[in-house]
Amino acid sequence: MFKHINIQQLCELRAEKNVNIADTRDKQSFDAGHISEAVHLDNASLHQFISDTAVDDALVVCCYHGNSSQGAADYLSEQGFSEVYSLDGGFELWKVSQPDDIAQG
């Protein structure tokens, strides 16, 4: 089962330990800007992501506003990831509250 996480909690979690961030927005939006260190996750990359990512590390799933990431977070939790979160507010809230932590490409 996944949990919800807000921007401040994510910042604190990243300061404490290794956190994987999966961004489920479309590729064009991801390339235009995403949370630093996030990876783009879509149907084509899902299998590789699951096999390459440590299931014991924290995993935060984000989308545009924090809605569709919940389904992806739930699915990844069912695949054996032990600490899964959905980012409340999504990337849209992240980019206004953490503008210095945006990567492109």
Side-chain angles (χ1 to χ4, degrees), residues 31-69:
D31 288 343
H34 55 270
I35 299 172
S36 299
E37 318 246 335
V39 297
H40 182 246
L41 185 63
D42 61 9
N43 288 336
S45 62
L46 180 61
H47 179 72
Q48 193 68 46
F49 177 83
I50 290 171
S51 35
D52 291 349
T53 307
V55 296
D56 293 330
D57 285 348
L59 172 60
V60 176
V61 184
C62 77
C63 60
Y64 291 99
H65 301 285
N67 297 319
S68 62
S69 59

Side-chain angles (χ1 to χ4, degrees), residues 5 7-21 34-38 58 60 94 98 101-102:
I5 192 169
I7 303 277
Q8 181 179 344
Q9 291 168 322
L10 176 53
C11 292
E12 292 167 3
L13 189 65
R14 288 173 87 190
E16 293 171 10
K17 60 172 138 179
N18 184 45
V19 177
N20 294 303
I21 301 172
H34 55 270
I35 299 172
S36 299
E37 318 246 335
V60 176
W94 182 269
Q98 302 293 320
D101 191 17
I102 306 293

